[in-house]
Amino acid sequence: MEFGEPGQGMKALDDVSLEIRANEFFTLLGPSGCGKTTLLRLIAGFEQPTSGVIRLYGEAMQDLPPFRRPVNTVFQSYALFPHMTVAQNIAFGLEMRGLGRAEIDRTVSAMLELVKLPDVGRRRADQLSGGQQQRIALARALANRPKVLLLDESLSALDLKLRKEMQIELKRLQADTGITFIFVTHDQEEALTMSDRIAVMSKGRILQIGTPSAIYEAPVNRTVADFIGETNFLTGEGTPEGLRLADGQCLALNEPASGPLTLAVRPERIRLSDQGNLEGRLEDIVYLGTDTIYLLEVAGQSGFRVRRQNDEGAGNGLHPGARVRIQVPAAALRVLAE
Amino acid sequence: MSTLQQRQQARQLRHRLLLSAPAMAMLGVFLLVPLGIMLLVSVLQGGDYGGVKWGEYSFEAYVSFFYERDLDDSLVFNTDYLQIFQRSLWLSVLTTAGCLLIGFPTALYLALQDEKRRNLLLFLVTVPFWTNLLVRVYAWILLLRNGGLVDSGLGLFGFDGSLGILYSDAAVIVGLLYSFLPFMVLPIYTSLEKLDWRLVEAAFDLGANRRKALQRVIVPLAMPGIVAGTLLVFIPSLGNYIIPELLGGGKSLMIGNLIQLQFGTAHNWPLGAALAFVLLALVLLAMLSYNLRFRQPAMEGHA
């Protein structure tokens, strides 16, 4: 599928192809401007693809107007109707489908129960707090029992505590309703917490699709590795013995490779150890409560991070400037495609 | 409450009075005083050749609005003036409805254009204001008269020429529609321009087709503009003078012409003033009913 403004060289989406399974919590993750919201709007029907098809359960949808698609959206701004009460907001979609009054009333109160706000039906939408509006937007979209629910950066307007609550809440709702959720976010932590699978996007392309652990443990390239979590990059020359760094240190690899290489390693997989296989100079120590980050200079490269949990004996009297050895397990190293 | 706070409040009150004084003076001199004079004139005895006899009070003007004095001085119910009021109301309602029918789609179209085009089109809407209204109304006389462009144009469709559109109610409505349309378009455009179009997307998303989205989301949210536009068209067209005078000939009188007639040829100032007050009452009534109908729901929302 492609999407671009006619007459412009830039494509907002370029050769995007993905398959989302039924009942899946699927996340489109990427920095702003990567095309994830455009992709969502294409699925919802607010934009038409320049080329390509969108299928839902085998049925081509790309030519249907939004009101004919069994898809509902929770908008980033919530887009609750300000001239209606909460109950009228939730009832809107049901009325559009021509349901009877009794059934509408039943569904509205069921939806309000579902999002745990049973008493706000008669209030106006703009009298609710941000978190409540968020829940009502969810209830309104779910009331139609869509086959797919689209969520556009739906949690980004909430404060941290509320966001954490809603993350768990969304997971629960998805499990309870059995509806496929497609969630758009730029927050990698949110994506990792909630998703069954994640598609990492950048510059209108999909870089990698996989489960949170696959994406985190085995990023396919530097952009993905850099975007998801903290990552250290080691560059050097592949030799039969392993990776030769700029200062001549050599790191053993499980599978020998040749030529210029970039390797990624997560900071929490590295240990400080006198018998370690790499040497570096300690630049700084950042205490984070549960963890401590040790910033090292390794092979002339500054900002190499080692993250250790603060259990007994951690840190034991290290000071910036000291030379330390670190143990980088071969299993934790990922060779990245450039 | 401490004396300091009291003193502060007193000072604030003084400031507010001082700041609003020019506006108050303006309203007093240019609104209340003339209205007071008119009210006085309406309850005075008319002079023989125009003017009034000061100090001689009479409700004759208000009485003669409904009754005619017979030869033997008995009062007979007379609907002449009421008919003119009724026609004025009817023409104004038709004008307002017509303006709404043309103005809303126009405003919606304007609001949906990109910014550059929108500014150009808005400019075009206001272009007629650049020419004097009188000149534009005379242009309509040329268009509407027998053998004029409209008349001969309709003749092509099998209508007999010389339809006599000019000097009829139809001509008055055309003229009113033409001159008040921008007053409907602009306020509706203003409220549509502020509209959050994501709400319309949300309506589509929830299964509303175009008609439903218009009916359930766009029109209710544009209601302040629609109300403002309706008042801006209805009230001035109810009291309009120049258009029925020129396009209605002598035949299609409206309230404005009737009032002018009393102060002019009829030399009956008290009746003219009384008619003006009846018109004012009508307008206030219209505004009051509008307030009751449209302001209340909005107030409930904040209760």
Side-chain angles (χ1 to χ4, degrees), chain A residues 285-316:
Chain A
I285 300 172
V286 183
Y287 178 75
L288 295 176
T290 53
D291 298 349
T292 299
I293 304 267
Y294 300 90
L295 289 164
L296 271 64
E297 187 209 301
V298 175
Q301 211 181 312
S302 166
F304 192 92
R305 299 161 86 92
V306 177
R307 181 188 270 266
R308 292 317 304 164
Q309 218 176 331
N310 288 330
D311 42 25
E312 72 284 356
N316 42 32

PDB file of all heavy atoms in Angstrom, chain A residues 285-316:
ATOM      1  N   ILE A 285      28.432   8.014  37.035  1.00  0.00           N
ATOM      2  CA  ILE A 285      27.514   7.051  37.635  1.00  0.00           C
ATOM      3  C   ILE A 285      26.192   7.763  37.883  1.00  0.00           C
ATOM      4  O   ILE A 285      26.160   8.817  38.509  1.00  0.00           O
ATOM      5  CB  ILE A 285      28.079   6.518  38.971  1.00  0.00           C
ATOM      6  CG1 ILE A 285      29.439   5.830  38.730  1.00  0.00           C
ATOM      7  CG2 ILE A 285      27.100   5.548  39.623  1.00  0.00           C
ATOM      8  CD1 ILE A 285      30.148   5.440  39.997  1.00  0.00           C
ATOM      9  N   VAL A 286      25.109   7.200  37.338  1.00  0.00           N
ATOM     10  CA  VAL A 286      23.791   7.824  37.515  1.00  0.00           C
ATOM     11  C   VAL A 286      22.929   6.891  38.342  1.00  0.00           C
ATOM     12  O   VAL A 286      22.629   5.771  37.927  1.00  0.00           O
ATOM     13  CB  VAL A 286      23.127   8.090  36.149  1.00  0.00           C
ATOM     14  CG1 VAL A 286      21.793   8.803  36.347  1.00  0.00           C
ATOM     15  CG2 VAL A 286      24.034   8.911  35.253  1.00  0.00           C
ATOM     16  N   TYR A 287      22.559   7.352  39.530  1.00  0.00           N
ATOM     17  CA  TYR A 287      21.761   6.538  40.432  1.00  0.00           C
ATOM     18  C   TYR A 287      20.283   6.735  40.125  1.00  0.00           C
ATOM     19  O   TYR A 287      19.799   7.860  40.072  1.00  0.00           O
ATOM     20  CB  TYR A 287      22.084   6.954  41.881  1.00  0.00           C
ATOM     21  CG  TYR A 287      21.287   6.211  42.906  1.00  0.00           C
ATOM     22  CD1 TYR A 287      21.578   4.881  43.217  1.00  0.00           C
ATOM     23  CD2 TYR A 287      20.240   6.824  43.578  1.00  0.00           C
ATOM     24  CE1 TYR A 287      20.851   4.191  44.167  1.00  0.00           C
ATOM     25  CE2 TYR A 287      19.490   6.147  44.524  1.00  0.00           C
ATOM     26  CZ  TYR A 287      19.804   4.827  44.813  1.00  0.00           C
ATOM     27  OH  TYR A 287      19.078   4.147  45.745  1.00  0.00           O
ATOM     28  N   LEU A 288      19.532   5.634  39.878  1.00  0.00           N
ATOM     29  CA  LEU A 288      18.125   5.755  39.475  1.00  0.00           C
ATOM     30  C   LEU A 288      17.164   5.103  40.457  1.00  0.00           C
ATOM     31  O   LEU A 288      16.019   4.817  40.112  1.00  0.00           O
ATOM     32  CB  LEU A 288      17.910   5.106  38.104  1.00  0.00           C
ATOM     33  CG  LEU A 288      18.617   5.726  36.910  1.00  0.00           C
ATOM     34  CD1 LEU A 288      18.357   4.895  35.671  1.00  0.00           C
ATOM     35  CD2 LEU A 288      18.161   7.153  36.681  1.00  0.00           C
ATOM     36  N   GLY A 289      17.618   4.832  41.681  1.00  0.00           N
ATOM     37  CA  GLY A 289      16.734   4.160  42.621  1.00  0.00           C
ATOM     38  C   GLY A 289      16.835   2.656  42.501  1.00  0.00           C
ATOM     39  O   GLY A 289      17.634   2.028  43.186  1.00  0.00           O
ATOM     40  N   THR A 290      16.016   2.083  41.580  1.00  0.00           N
ATOM     41  CA  THR A 290      16.077   0.628  41.422  1.00  0.00           C
ATOM     42  C   THR A 290      17.376   0.220  40.729  1.00  0.00           C
ATOM     43  O   THR A 290      17.948  -0.826  41.026  1.00  0.00           O
ATOM     44  CB  THR A 290      14.916   0.117  40.560  1.00  0.00           C
ATOM     45  OG1 THR A 290      14.926   0.856  39.335  1.00  0.00           O
ATOM     46  CG2 THR A 290      13.593   0.322  41.261  1.00  0.00           C
ATOM     47  N   ASP A 291      17.847   1.054  39.817  1.00  0.00           N
ATOM     48  CA  ASP A 291      19.038   0.727  39.029  1.00  0.00           C
ATOM     49  C   ASP A 291      20.093   1.813  39.174  1.00  0.00           C
ATOM     50  O   ASP A 291      19.817   2.898  39.678  1.00  0.00           O
ATOM     51  CB  ASP A 291      18.694   0.653  37.534  1.00  0.00           C
ATOM     52  CG  ASP A 291      17.688  -0.426  37.235  1.00  0.00           C
ATOM     53  OD1 ASP A 291      17.419  -1.255  38.132  1.00  0.00           O
ATOM     54  OD2 ASP A 291      17.167  -0.424  36.116  1.00  0.00           O
ATOM     55  N   THR A 292      21.297   1.456  38.703  1.00  0.00           N
ATOM     56  CA  THR A 292      22.326   2.472  38.538  1.00  0.00           C
ATOM     57  C   THR A 292      22.865   2.349  37.121  1.00  0.00           C
ATOM     58  O   THR A 292      23.021   1.236  36.600  1.00  0.00           O
ATOM     59  CB  THR A 292      23.479   2.264  39.530  1.00  0.00           C
ATOM     60  OG1 THR A 292      22.944   2.365  40.850  1.00  0.00           O
ATOM     61  CG2 THR A 292      24.554   3.329  39.343  1.00  0.00           C
ATOM     62  N   ILE A 293      23.066   3.494  36.473  1.00  0.00           N
ATOM     63  CA  ILE A 293      23.659   3.485  35.133  1.00  0.00           C
ATOM     64  C   ILE A 293      25.122   3.881  35.255  1.00  0.00           C
ATOM     65  O   ILE A 293      25.449   4.901  35.871  1.00  0.00           O
ATOM     66  CB  ILE A 293      22.961   4.504  34.197  1.00  0.00           C
ATOM     67  CG1 ILE A 293      21.458   4.227  34.125  1.00  0.00           C
ATOM     68  CG2 ILE A 293      23.613   4.537  32.839  1.00  0.00           C
ATOM     69  CD1 ILE A 293      21.033   3.361  33.012  1.00  0.00           C
ATOM     70  N   TYR A 294      25.996   3.057  34.698  1.00  0.00           N
ATOM     71  CA  TYR A 294      27.426   3.383  34.641  1.00  0.00           C
ATOM     72  C   TYR A 294      27.715   3.823  33.216  1.00  0.00           C
ATOM     73  O   TYR A 294      27.467   3.063  32.277  1.00  0.00           O
ATOM     74  CB  TYR A 294      28.277   2.169  35.015  1.00  0.00           C
ATOM     75  CG  TYR A 294      27.972   1.684  36.420  1.00  0.00           C
ATOM     76  CD1 TYR A 294      26.994   0.728  36.639  1.00  0.00           C
ATOM     77  CD2 TYR A 294      28.678   2.199  37.505  1.00  0.00           C
ATOM     78  CE1 TYR A 294      26.697   0.302  37.913  1.00  0.00           C
ATOM     79  CE2 TYR A 294      28.377   1.777  38.799  1.00  0.00           C
ATOM     80  CZ  TYR A 294      27.389   0.831  38.998  1.00  0.00           C
ATOM     81  OH  TYR A 294      27.088   0.423  40.266  1.00  0.00           O
ATOM     82  N   LEU A 295      28.187   5.050  33.064  1.00  0.00           N
ATOM     83  CA  LEU A 295      28.531   5.542  31.731  1.00  0.00           C
ATOM     84  C   LEU A 295      30.024   5.347  31.512  1.00  0.00           C
ATOM     85  O   LEU A 295      30.842   5.809  32.308  1.00  0.00           O
ATOM     86  CB  LEU A 295      28.161   7.020  31.598  1.00  0.00           C
ATOM     87  CG  LEU A 295      26.657   7.284  31.538  1.00  0.00           C
ATOM     88  CD1 LEU A 295      26.348   8.748  31.793  1.00  0.00           C
ATOM     89  CD2 LEU A 295      26.098   6.843  30.191  1.00  0.00           C
ATOM     90  N   LEU A 296      30.369   4.655  30.443  1.00  0.00           N
ATOM     91  CA  LEU A 296      31.759   4.295  30.187  1.00  0.00           C
ATOM     92  C   LEU A 296      32.232   4.870  28.852  1.00  0.00           C
ATOM     93  O   LEU A 296      31.430   5.115  27.954  1.00  0.00           O
ATOM     94  CB  LEU A 296      31.883   2.768  30.101  1.00  0.00           C
ATOM     95  CG  LEU A 296      32.144   1.983  31.378  1.00  0.00           C
ATOM     96  CD1 LEU A 296      30.978   2.133  32.331  1.00  0.00           C
ATOM     97  CD2 LEU A 296      32.364   0.528  31.026  1.00  0.00           C
ATOM     98  N   GLU A 297      33.548   5.011  28.771  1.00  0.00           N
ATOM     99  CA  GLU A 297      34.144   5.239  27.462  1.00  0.00           C
ATOM    100  C   GLU A 297      34.809   3.941  27.053  1.00  0.00           C
ATOM    101  O   GLU A 297      35.673   3.436  27.768  1.00  0.00           O
ATOM    102  CB  GLU A 297      35.172   6.370  27.558  1.00  0.00           C
ATOM    103  CG  GLU A 297      35.717   6.791  26.216  1.00  0.00           C
ATOM    104  CD  GLU A 297      37.123   7.328  26.317  1.00  0.00           C
ATOM    105  OE1 GLU A 297      37.316   8.320  27.042  1.00  0.00           O
ATOM    106  OE2 GLU A 297      38.014   6.730  25.695  1.00  0.00           O
ATOM    107  N   VAL A 298      34.356   3.379  25.949  1.00  0.00           N
ATOM    108  CA  VAL A 298      34.910   2.110  25.483  1.00  0.00           C
ATOM    109  C   VAL A 298      35.436   2.303  24.067  1.00  0.00           C
ATOM    110  O   VAL A 298      34.702   2.808  23.206  1.00  0.00           O
ATOM    111  CB  VAL A 298      33.843   0.990  25.487  1.00  0.00           C
ATOM    112  CG1 VAL A 298      34.393  -0.287  24.886  1.00  0.00           C
ATOM    113  CG2 VAL A 298      33.336   0.747  26.889  1.00  0.00           C
ATOM    114  N   ALA A 299      36.680   1.935  23.827  1.00  0.00           N
ATOM    115  CA  ALA A 299      37.325   2.025  22.517  1.00  0.00           C
ATOM    116  C   ALA A 299      37.136   3.421  21.911  1.00  0.00           C
ATOM    117  O   ALA A 299      36.738   3.572  20.769  1.00  0.00           O
ATOM    118  CB  ALA A 299      36.762   0.946  21.574  1.00  0.00           C
ATOM    119  N   GLY A 300      37.347   4.441  22.735  1.00  0.00           N
ATOM    120  CA  GLY A 300      37.284   5.822  22.250  1.00  0.00           C
ATOM    121  C   GLY A 300      35.877   6.341  22.067  1.00  0.00           C
ATOM    122  O   GLY A 300      35.663   7.486  21.682  1.00  0.00           O
ATOM    123  N   GLN A 301      34.875   5.473  22.372  1.00  0.00           N
ATOM    124  CA  GLN A 301      33.492   5.871  22.182  1.00  0.00           C
ATOM    125  C   GLN A 301      32.882   6.202  23.539  1.00  0.00           C
ATOM    126  O   GLN A 301      32.880   5.374  24.448  1.00  0.00           O
ATOM    127  CB  GLN A 301      32.743   4.702  21.543  1.00  0.00           C
ATOM    128  CG  GLN A 301      31.618   5.099  20.637  1.00  0.00           C
ATOM    129  CD  GLN A 301      30.954   3.848  20.093  1.00  0.00           C
ATOM    130  OE1 GLN A 301      31.606   2.911  19.612  1.00  0.00           O
ATOM    131  NE2 GLN A 301      29.649   3.812  20.204  1.00  0.00           N
ATOM    132  N   SER A 302      32.357   7.410  23.659  1.00  0.00           N
ATOM    133  CA  SER A 302      31.832   7.859  24.946  1.00  0.00           C
ATOM    134  C   SER A 302      30.364   7.450  25.095  1.00  0.00           C
ATOM    135  O   SER A 302      29.687   7.185  24.107  1.00  0.00           O
ATOM    136  CB  SER A 302      32.003   9.373  25.006  1.00  0.00           C
ATOM    137  OG  SER A 302      31.255   9.898  26.034  1.00  0.00           O
ATOM    138  N   GLY A 303      29.851   7.402  26.324  1.00  0.00           N
ATOM    139  CA  GLY A 303      28.422   7.192  26.556  1.00  0.00           C
ATOM    140  C   GLY A 303      27.973   5.741  26.500  1.00  0.00           C
ATOM    141  O   GLY A 303      26.794   5.465  26.319  1.00  0.00           O
ATOM    142  N   PHE A 304      28.896   4.809  26.637  1.00  0.00           N
ATOM    143  CA  PHE A 304      28.537   3.388  26.665  1.00  0.00           C
ATOM    144  C   PHE A 304      27.870   3.089  28.006  1.00  0.00           C
ATOM    145  O   PHE A 304      28.424   3.370  29.063  1.00  0.00           O
ATOM    146  CB  PHE A 304      29.810   2.548  26.496  1.00  0.00           C
ATOM    147  CG  PHE A 304      29.566   1.095  26.222  1.00  0.00           C
ATOM    148  CD1 PHE A 304      29.480   0.623  24.925  1.00  0.00           C
ATOM    149  CD2 PHE A 304      29.437   0.192  27.277  1.00  0.00           C
ATOM    150  CE1 PHE A 304      29.258  -0.726  24.670  1.00  0.00           C
ATOM    151  CE2 PHE A 304      29.207  -1.150  27.025  1.00  0.00           C
ATOM    152  CZ  PHE A 304      29.115  -1.610  25.714  1.00  0.00           C
ATOM    153  N   ARG A 305      26.654   2.531  27.962  1.00  0.00           N
ATOM    154  CA  ARG A 305      25.874   2.397  29.202  1.00  0.00           C
ATOM    155  C   ARG A 305      25.872   0.973  29.729  1.00  0.00           C
ATOM    156  O   ARG A 305      25.695   0.027  28.965  1.00  0.00           O
ATOM    157  CB  ARG A 305      24.431   2.820  28.949  1.00  0.00           C
ATOM    158  CG  ARG A 305      24.284   4.259  28.498  1.00  0.00           C
ATOM    159  CD  ARG A 305      22.945   4.469  27.835  1.00  0.00           C
ATOM    160  NE  ARG A 305      21.917   4.764  28.831  1.00  0.00           N
ATOM    161  CZ  ARG A 305      21.601   5.997  29.198  1.00  0.00           C
ATOM    162  NH1 ARG A 305      22.214   7.022  28.675  1.00  0.00           N
ATOM    163  NH2 ARG A 305      20.663   6.194  30.089  1.00  0.00           N
ATOM    164  N   VAL A 306      26.041   0.874  31.032  1.00  0.00           N
ATOM    165  CA  VAL A 306      25.873  -0.411  31.716  1.00  0.00           C
ATOM    166  C   VAL A 306      24.837  -0.191  32.806  1.00  0.00           C
ATOM    167  O   VAL A 306      24.950   0.741  33.599  1.00  0.00           O
ATOM    168  CB  VAL A 306      27.201  -0.891  32.352  1.00  0.00           C
ATOM    169  CG1 VAL A 306      26.981  -2.188  33.116  1.00  0.00           C
ATOM    170  CG2 VAL A 306      28.264  -1.054  31.281  1.00  0.00           C
ATOM    171  N   ARG A 307      23.784  -1.004  32.795  1.00  0.00           N
ATOM    172  CA  ARG A 307      22.709  -0.813  33.782  1.00  0.00           C
ATOM    173  C   ARG A 307      22.712  -1.995  34.744  1.00  0.00           C
ATOM    174  O   ARG A 307      22.676  -3.149  34.323  1.00  0.00           O
ATOM    175  CB  ARG A 307      21.373  -0.741  33.041  1.00  0.00           C
ATOM    176  CG  ARG A 307      20.168  -0.510  33.945  1.00  0.00           C
ATOM    177  CD  ARG A 307      18.886  -0.640  33.155  1.00  0.00           C
ATOM    178  NE  ARG A 307      18.437   0.615  32.564  1.00  0.00           N
ATOM    179  CZ  ARG A 307      17.562   1.441  33.142  1.00  0.00           C
ATOM    180  NH1 ARG A 307      17.050   1.152  34.325  1.00  0.00           N
ATOM    181  NH2 ARG A 307      17.196   2.545  32.531  1.00  0.00           N
ATOM    182  N   ARG A 308      22.827  -1.710  36.030  1.00  0.00           N
ATOM    183  CA  ARG A 308      22.812  -2.779  37.041  1.00  0.00           C
ATOM    184  C   ARG A 308      21.757  -2.490  38.068  1.00  0.00           C
ATOM    185  O   ARG A 308      21.571  -1.342  38.490  1.00  0.00           O
ATOM    186  CB  ARG A 308      24.177  -2.885  37.753  1.00  0.00           C
ATOM    187  CG  ARG A 308      25.338  -3.384  36.916  1.00  0.00           C
ATOM    188  CD  ARG A 308      25.038  -4.556  36.014  1.00  0.00           C
ATOM    189  NE  ARG A 308      24.506  -5.748  36.677  1.00  0.00           N
ATOM    190  CZ  ARG A 308      23.908  -6.753  36.018  1.00  0.00           C
ATOM    191  NH1 ARG A 308      23.749  -6.698  34.722  1.00  0.00           N
ATOM    192  NH2 ARG A 308      23.483  -7.786  36.669  1.00  0.00           N
ATOM    193  N   GLN A 309      21.085  -3.548  38.481  1.00  0.00           N
ATOM    194  CA  GLN A 309      20.107  -3.412  39.550  1.00  0.00           C
ATOM    195  C   GLN A 309      20.847  -3.150  40.851  1.00  0.00           C
ATOM    196  O   GLN A 309      21.962  -3.642  41.049  1.00  0.00           O
ATOM    197  CB  GLN A 309      19.305  -4.701  39.673  1.00  0.00           C
ATOM    198  CG  GLN A 309      17.863  -4.438  39.983  1.00  0.00           C
ATOM    199  CD  GLN A 309      17.054  -5.713  40.005  1.00  0.00           C
ATOM    200  OE1 GLN A 309      17.370  -6.690  39.312  1.00  0.00           O
ATOM    201  NE2 GLN A 309      16.007  -5.707  40.804  1.00  0.00           N
ATOM    202  N   ASN A 310      20.244  -2.361  41.710  1.00  0.00           N
ATOM    203  CA  ASN A 310      20.913  -2.008  42.963  1.00  0.00           C
ATOM    204  C   ASN A 310      20.691  -3.080  44.020  1.00  0.00           C
ATOM    205  O   ASN A 310      19.979  -2.886  44.985  1.00  0.00           O
ATOM    206  CB  ASN A 310      20.408  -0.659  43.463  1.00  0.00           C
ATOM    207  CG  ASN A 310      20.940   0.476  42.603  1.00  0.00           C
ATOM    208  OD1 ASN A 310      22.033   0.372  42.035  1.00  0.00           O
ATOM    209  ND2 ASN A 310      20.180   1.543  42.490  1.00  0.00           N
ATOM    210  N   ASP A 311      21.306  -4.260  43.808  1.00  0.00           N
ATOM    211  CA  ASP A 311      21.251  -5.266  44.871  1.00  0.00           C
ATOM    212  C   ASP A 311      22.521  -5.159  45.708  1.00  0.00           C
ATOM    213  O   ASP A 311      23.307  -4.222  45.532  1.00  0.00           O
ATOM    214  CB  ASP A 311      21.044  -6.676  44.302  1.00  0.00           C
ATOM    215  CG  ASP A 311      21.884  -6.916  43.082  1.00  0.00           C
ATOM    216  OD1 ASP A 311      22.929  -6.237  42.956  1.00  0.00           O
ATOM    217  OD2 ASP A 311      21.517  -7.748  42.234  1.00  0.00           O
ATOM    218  N   GLU A 312      22.745  -6.140  46.592  1.00  0.00           N
ATOM    219  CA  GLU A 312      23.840  -5.993  47.557  1.00  0.00           C
ATOM    220  C   GLU A 312      25.205  -5.876  46.860  1.00  0.00           C
ATOM    221  O   GLU A 312      25.463  -6.529  45.840  1.00  0.00           O
ATOM    222  CB  GLU A 312      23.834  -7.159  48.565  1.00  0.00           C
ATOM    223  CG  GLU A 312      24.278  -8.507  48.020  1.00  0.00           C
ATOM    224  CD  GLU A 312      23.197  -9.164  47.177  1.00  0.00           C
ATOM    225  OE1 GLU A 312      22.074  -8.588  47.096  1.00  0.00           O
ATOM    226  OE2 GLU A 312      23.454 -10.205  46.579  1.00  0.00           O
ATOM    227  N   GLY A 313      26.010  -5.014  47.372  1.00  0.00           N
ATOM    228  CA  GLY A 313      27.381  -4.888  46.885  1.00  0.00           C
ATOM    229  C   GLY A 313      27.510  -4.211  45.544  1.00  0.00           C
ATOM    230  O   GLY A 313      28.582  -4.187  44.947  1.00  0.00           O
ATOM    231  N   ALA A 314      26.406  -3.630  45.048  1.00  0.00           N
ATOM    232  CA  ALA A 314      26.479  -2.989  43.737  1.00  0.00           C
ATOM    233  C   ALA A 314      27.350  -1.743  43.817  1.00  0.00           C
ATOM    234  O   ALA A 314      27.325  -1.021  44.799  1.00  0.00           O
ATOM    235  CB  ALA A 314      25.084  -2.628  43.255  1.00  0.00           C
ATOM    236  N   GLY A 315      28.077  -1.517  42.761  1.00  0.00           N
ATOM    237  CA  GLY A 315      28.856  -0.280  42.682  1.00  0.00           C
ATOM    238  C   GLY A 315      30.146  -0.323  43.450  1.00  0.00           C
ATOM    239  O   GLY A 315      31.142   0.235  43.013  1.00  0.00           O
ATOM    240  N   ASN A 316      30.170  -1.065  44.551  1.00  0.00           N
ATOM    241  CA  ASN A 316      31.267  -1.099  45.520  1.00  0.00           C
ATOM    242  C   ASN A 316      32.455  -0.165  45.274  1.00  0.00           C
ATOM    243  O   ASN A 316      33.514  -0.569  44.824  1.00  0.00           O
ATOM    244  CB  ASN A 316      31.761  -2.546  45.739  1.00  0.00           C
ATOM    245  CG  ASN A 316      31.845  -3.306  44.404  1.00  0.00           C
ATOM    246  OD1 ASN A 316      32.119  -2.699  43.383  1.00  0.00           O
ATOM    247  ND2 ASN A 316      31.605  -4.609  44.455  1.00  0.00           N
TER     248      ASN A 316
END
